[in-house]
Amino acid sequence: MKLKFTLFLFAFAALFSAQAQETEQGPTYVGELTLVSVTPSLQSRLSELTPATAKGEAQDGRSSFKKPKRDVVPGKGNQADYLSQNQDLLAGKIAGKAVTAVWDAAFTGSNPTDPALAVGPDHVFVVFNTGFAIFDKDGNELLGDTNPFPAIFPSNGCCDLTASYDSAADRWILSFLGNGIQMAISTTGDPLTTDWNIYNIPTVNDYNKVSVWSDGYYLTDQSSGNRLYAMDRTAMLAGAANPSIQGFALPSIATFGFASPQALNVTDDNMPAAGNAPVVFFQDDAYAGVAVDHIKFWSANVDFATPGNSTISAPQEIPVTPFTSVFDGASFQNLTQPNGGGGTLDALQGIVMNQAQFRKFPTYNAAVFNHVIDTDPTGGKRAAIRWYEFRQATDGAPWSLFQEGTYEAPDNKHAWNASLMMDN
């Protein structure tokens, strides 16, 4: 026990020392978005839509990759998952609320499917590669489209359609990978009857994820140095022609290939103070140069008027219970389908799953998010979900780990691509 304790202190000291040597950095990119068009409401153009149950939509380009896309050390960091084998004594003993609604949201042949959704007061906006469907909260589909290019976005593209809801402004934000990134901002809170302001970001290349913060819309890009982009939320809500945008490299991120961090997304309309927008990513000790499994938090402070004042912090590094997050040397074909289904599915490794959520409570702030892990350390695989709740005492304060766990599906099935949000 003494040896383990000493090793832990040594690893922690090494992390602290590395962090202390780093300094905040300024933006690596400063530019302007372009308002390319205004798209009339979907309700006014029903004849152009293709029902969401149609097949034959575009494929995500990730499905064509055959070679590993991350530099990992073979055999390093591969262990059984402690949290799955040592469940909390209260696990399964606290009754949850009954499910109020369940329905099939979409059908797609794309691999990966990359489904996501955003929830407003009266609507659920579901997106996937490469289509969407809008439901009421009883699960009735109000309209859907499997070819979103003419329906909302003005030009063709690939995939990675995302949806977010800005509760404080009552607006919907969509993003779509094509000619860089196209972003659609609704002009009202009704996704059926609203017009959409369409902006183009030519510098973003892949796997876009959009989050809402008090002073900006924050977008992560897994390529281009794993940069974070901050966009002037106030200007975009006003439909400005050229809102400011700034890009940041994330200091000391260890990825060596496909990796998708996320900025925290404000869950409700209780906005934090402007600035200190948190960005999160997990670091597996299987990655070259990573000593222990941990979570990194960066903090972005953006001055849209004077970009020279903008900074991204050095990361705060918080050790967590060890995990194994690498499947098949980090390829994109990992999980065999049940009952003899053809092909293999992408475990979506190296990704903080959409969305990483932030919520203010009376005496603290909370962040909840998750990523996929492999709980079978042998030659087999079992995809499971590692989830976390971190807390900070006040806006902009350091983060600390409050609780964590591993969710495994029953009957030895895979569980992955989770989404996490906290109401209470």
Side-chain angles (χ1 to χ4, degrees):
M1 179 60 71
K2 181 179 179 180
L3 176 62
K4 292 183 179 178
F5 184 63
T6 303
L7 288 174
F8 175 78
L9 286 178
F10 175 80
F12 182 80
L15 282 172
F16 181 81
S17 175
Q19 181 174 329
Q21 295 174 7
E22 299 168 354
T23 58
E24 61 186 20
Q25 300 178 10
T28 57
Y29 172 82
V30 176
E32 293 180 336
L33 301 173
T34 302
L35 179 62
V36 295
S37 63
V38 178
T39 301
S41 72
L42 295 168
Q43 193 71 57
S44 68
R45 300 160 52 242
L46 293 177
S47 62
E48 302 176 35
L49 304 184
T50 304
T53 55
K55 302 298 189 295
E57 78 279 6
Q59 291 283 325
D60 188 323
R62 273 164 48 93
S63 62
S64 64
F65 285 110
K66 302 297 183 183
K67 296 180 180 180
K69 296 292 289 182
R70 191 176 300 103
D71 183 12
V72 297
V73 179
K76 182 172 180 280
N78 185 33
Q79 64 266 312
D81 188 74
Y82 177 86
L83 294 179
S84 67
Q85 295 184 348
N86 297 270
Q87 293 288 334
D88 189 278
L89 294 177
L90 294 179
K93 295 181 172 62
I94 300 176
K97 295 184 68 174
V99 175
T100 57
V102 177
W103 68 87
D104 291 330
F107 298 88
T108 172
S110 181
N111 179 20
T113 305
D114 285 332
L117 60 81
V119 181
D122 303 306
H123 300 90
V124 179
F125 204 124
V126 176
V127 297
F128 54 94
N129 282 327
T130 50
F132 67 87
I134 301 174
F135 298 85
D136 65 22
K137 288 193 169 180
D138 292 322
N140 300 306
E141 184 172 334
L142 305 177
L143 63 81
D145 189 16
T146 56
N147 190 2
F149 322 131
I152 295 179
F153 297 99
S155 59
N156 290 345
C158 161
C159 45
D160 291 351
L161 190 62
T162 75
S164 302
Y165 176 69
D166 184 338
S167 181
D170 190 26
R171 301 288 187 88
W172 300 86
I173 305 97
L174 308 180
S175 72
F176 174 61
L177 182 61
N179 297 325
I181 294 296
Q182 302 171 52
M183 289 190 64
I185 313 297
S186 70
T187 58
T188 73
D190 188 333
L192 302 175
T193 62
T194 184
D195 294 342
W196 301 85
N197 291 325
I198 310 298
Y199 291 94
N200 180 249
I201 313 172
T203 55
V204 179
N205 297 301
D206 188 30
Y207 213 66
N208 42 291
K209 294 292 180 285
V210 178
S211 300
V212 176
W213 196 252
S214 50
D215 58 352
Y217 293 133
Y218 286 79
L219 182 147
T220 52
D221 175 7
Q222 79 84 17
S223 59
S224 303
N226 299 293
R227 284 191 295 189
L228 167 76
Y229 288 86
M231 297 161 283
D232 189 335
R233 172 174 173 263
T234 300
M236 296 177 77
L237 289 173
N242 299 110
S244 174
I245 179 172
Q246 298 178 29
F248 300 85
L250 295 178
S252 300
I253 186 171
T255 60
F256 303 98
F258 193 98
S260 182
Q262 280 209 37
L264 296 188
N265 177 75
V266 181
T267 303
D268 58 4
D269 59 1
N270 187 10
M271 285 289 184
N276 291 305
V279 184
V280 297
F281 191 60
F282 60 94
Q283 305 281 241
D284 193 322
D285 63 355
Y287 301 168
V290 177
V292 297
D293 296 328
H294 66 273
I295 302 294
K296 276 186 167 70
F297 278 85
W298 295 266
S299 183
N301 283 281
V302 183
D303 187 331
F304 290 108
T306 309
N309 295 334
S310 299
T311 60
I312 185 77
S313 73
Q316 180 188 0
E317 300 177 350
I318 304 176
V320 296
T321 301
F323 56 77
T324 298
S325 68
V326 176
F327 294 74
D328 298 330
S331 74
F332 295 139
Q333 299 175 341
N334 321 115
L335 306 178
T336 302
Q337 298 189 61
N339 302 321
T344 54
L345 301 180
D346 186 352
L348 300 173
Q349 58 196 312
I351 299 170
V352 175
M353 296 314 304
N354 197 50
Q355 286 179 298
Q357 299 283 5
F358 172 95
R359 194 179 186 103
K360 291 181 67 67
F361 291 95
T363 59
Y364 63 90
N365 300 333
V368 292
F369 54 92
N370 74 93
H371 60 84
V372 69
I373 63 172
D374 184 2
T375 60
D376 185 349
T378 69
K381 308 179 192 71
R382 188 179 183 189
I385 296 158
R386 174 61 67 85
W387 60 266
Y388 309 95
E389 180 190 359
F390 289 85
R391 291 185 177 183
Q392 61 178 179
T394 187
D395 297 352
W399 293 91
S400 61
L401 178 63
F402 179 72
Q403 60 176 326
E404 60 180 335
T406 294
Y407 170 77
E408 289 183 295
D411 302 323
N412 204 37
K413 293 181 179 179
H414 296 299
W416 79 108
N417 197 12
S419 189
L420 193 63
M421 189 185 300
M422 181 182 291
D423 288 336
N424 291 291

